[in-house]
């Protein structure tokens, strides 16, 4: 099976590439903007015609799109998450390869949900920010393309390679600094938020399964369990051997308060005032209903959050 992987150098794409390469039946070609891609191509600026010519030459049976942007203004997010997917869909429609498309969506497409509830694929999406809007628009383009396609809505990926600017990455970095400086108290804000964390290696397994399946439409990929960031912080402290106190700051984080949900700014002590409490536009609660993934892909998450956090901490500790 010939697979064209777009975005192989990204956070998710690296693990998807590893998973596909481990399958001896897969012949993998990586397309991306980096020098180490098999073929250099920028989806955000490249033309559908150029991509069509490449598809006709390689003739893949499956195209997996892991490319995209998680940060930036509305214009950049639209260009990298929506326009880029429009290019992929149009190129596939023009091509004679007849490839199946596996598109990586995200839980932010749903927006806020009722605390205690599990969000299923038939929920009406109401994204709460530009990122979720740009990804939802991409999903709608895929679903309306007429292609053999499936969209995997990945909730909150975690595990090795977690970006330092993500909430769990920020949490690990704050703990590393506290241990390095000998601080007996770690003050954090925004710990009341609850998210559905799924290990990035389990996400890669889901992509592999979706590539081999005939499933179409939208499929949620998550753990099926919301975890409070406060509990994740306590779990990480145990993994790291941090014996200090975790002190949660109430109310919106200000200039002197570390918020694990936001990137570092240039304000006093390196922290700028930010919105509370979490940057994905999904409010205080999100939990996936993952029954469709079980029924249609034969997929279940295998790696628990403690193992994911241990791998995040291993990478953070190497910076001490």
């Amino acid at each position: 099976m010939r697979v064209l992987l777009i975005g192989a150098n990204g956070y998710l794409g690296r693990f998807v590439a590893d998973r596909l390469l481990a399958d001896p039946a897969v012949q993998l070609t990586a397309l991306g903007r980096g020098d180490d891609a098999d073929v250099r191509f920028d989806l955000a600026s490249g033309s559908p015609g150029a991509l069509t010519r490449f598809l006709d030459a390689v003739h893949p049976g499956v195209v997996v799109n892991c490319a995209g942007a998680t940060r930036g203004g509305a214009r950049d997010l639209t260009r990298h998450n929506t326009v880029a997917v429009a290019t992929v869909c149009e190129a596939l429609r023009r091509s004679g390869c007849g490839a199946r498309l596996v598109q990586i969506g995200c839980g932010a497409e749903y927006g806020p949900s009722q605390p205690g509830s599990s969000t299923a694929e038939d929920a009406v999406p109401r994204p709460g920010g530009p990122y979720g809007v740009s990804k939802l628009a991409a999903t709608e383009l895929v679903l309306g393309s007429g292609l053999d396609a499936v969209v995997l809505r990945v909730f909150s990926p975690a595990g090795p390679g977690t970006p330092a600017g993500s909430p769990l990455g920020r949490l690990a970095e704050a703990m590393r600094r506290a241990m390095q400086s000998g601080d007996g108290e770690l003050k954090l804000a925004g710990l009341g938020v609850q998210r559905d964390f799924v290990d990035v290696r389990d996400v890669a397994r889901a992509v592999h399964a979706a590539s081999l399946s005939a499933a179409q439409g939208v499929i949620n990929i998550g753990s099926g369990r919301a975890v409070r960031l406060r509990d994740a912080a306590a779990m990480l402290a145990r993994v790291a051997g941090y014996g200090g106190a975790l002190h949660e700051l109430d109310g919106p984080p200000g200039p002197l308060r570390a918020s694990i949900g936001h990137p570092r700014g240039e304000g006093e002590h390196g922290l700028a005032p930010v919105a509370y409490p979490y940057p994905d536009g999904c409010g205080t609660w999100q939990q996936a209903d993952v029954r469709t993934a079980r029924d249609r892909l034969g997929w279940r998450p295998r790696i628990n959050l403690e193992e994911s956090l241990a791998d995040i901490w291993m990478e953070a500790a190497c910076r001490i």
Side-chain angles (χ1 to χ4, degrees):
M1 179 175 67
R2 294 189 180 188
V3 178
L4 174 64
L5 175 59
I6 305 172
N9 294 323
Y11 172 39
L12 296 179
R14 292 195 299 272
F15 290 92
V16 171
D18 289 345
R19 178 73 187 187
L20 293 173
L21 286 169
D23 184 345
V26 170
Q27 180 181 338
L28 185 66
T29 300
L31 182 149
R33 292 180 291 173
D35 292 335
D36 51 353
D38 295 322
V39 177
R40 292 191 65 181
F41 189 84
D42 187 348
L43 285 179
S45 59
S47 71
L51 184 56
T52 299
R53 289 190 291 274
F54 175 72
L55 290 171
D56 288 339
V58 174
H59 214 78
V62 178
V63 173
V64 177
N65 183 25
C66 292
T70 59
R71 296 181 181 275
R75 177 177 295 180
D76 286 339
L77 290 170
T78 300
R79 186 161 60 93
H80 290 289
N81 294 338
T82 309
V83 175
V85 172
T87 298
V88 173
C89 291
E90 181 60 24
L92 282 169
R93 278 195 296 263
R94 295 182 188 181
S95 172
C97 69
R100 171 173 172 78
L101 173 61
V102 179
Q103 165 70 15
I104 306 302
C106 69
E109 296 176 42
Y110 290 116
S113 56
Q114 185 69 27
S117 66
S118 293
T119 303
E121 291 84 356
D122 59 359
V124 177
R126 293 187 176 89
Y131 172 62
V133 170
S134 68
K135 293 293 287 186
L136 176 60
T139 292
E140 294 299 336
L141 285 170
V142 170
L143 297 181
S145 66
L147 300 169
D148 174 13
V150 63
V151 177
L152 302 182
R153 275 191 179 143
V154 178
F155 276 61
S156 297
T162 293
S166 70
L168 292 181
R170 291 274 295 156
L171 174 59
E173 177 63 13
M175 196 163 293
R176 182 193 71 81
R177 289 174 181 243
M179 294 179 71
Q180 188 175 28
S181 61
D183 290 343
E185 184 181 41
L186 183 57
K187 298 180 179 180
L188 297 165
L191 295 181
V193 175
Q194 297 183 70
R195 286 293 180 271
D196 187 327
F197 296 106
V198 57
D199 193 274
V200 66
R201 291 158 292 193
D202 281 334
V203 174
R205 287 179 43 247
V207 172
H208 187 205
S211 299
L212 299 173
S213 79
Q216 296 186 339
V218 174
I219 300 178
N220 289 340
I221 303 299
S223 69
R225 182 172 70 94
V227 175
R228 196 180 303 272
L229 278 180
R230 182 186 305 116
D231 297 331
M235 192 180 300
L236 182 64
R238 291 196 301 272
V239 167
Y242 176 65
L246 297 177
H247 180 63
E248 184 175 359
L249 299 171
D250 296 326
L256 304 184
R257 295 178 174 182
S259 170
I260 64 173
H262 299 271
R264 183 174 297 275
E266 299 298 329
E268 189 176 1
H269 298 279
L271 292 170
V274 289
Y276 183 81
Y278 206 80
D280 60 2
C282 294
T284 60
W285 171 276
Q286 198 172 53
Q287 177 174 284
D289 182 331
V290 294
R291 289 175 295 180
T292 301
R294 179 196 63 199
D295 296 342
R296 299 176 66 187
L297 300 181
W299 176 91
R300 286 181 173 85
R302 294 177 180 172
I303 300 174
N304 61 37
L305 181 57
E306 185 169 2
E307 183 175 344
S308 301
L309 289 171
D311 289 323
I312 292 172
W313 175 250
M314 183 73 70
E315 293 178 345
C318 288
R319 296 194 290 270
I320 294 180

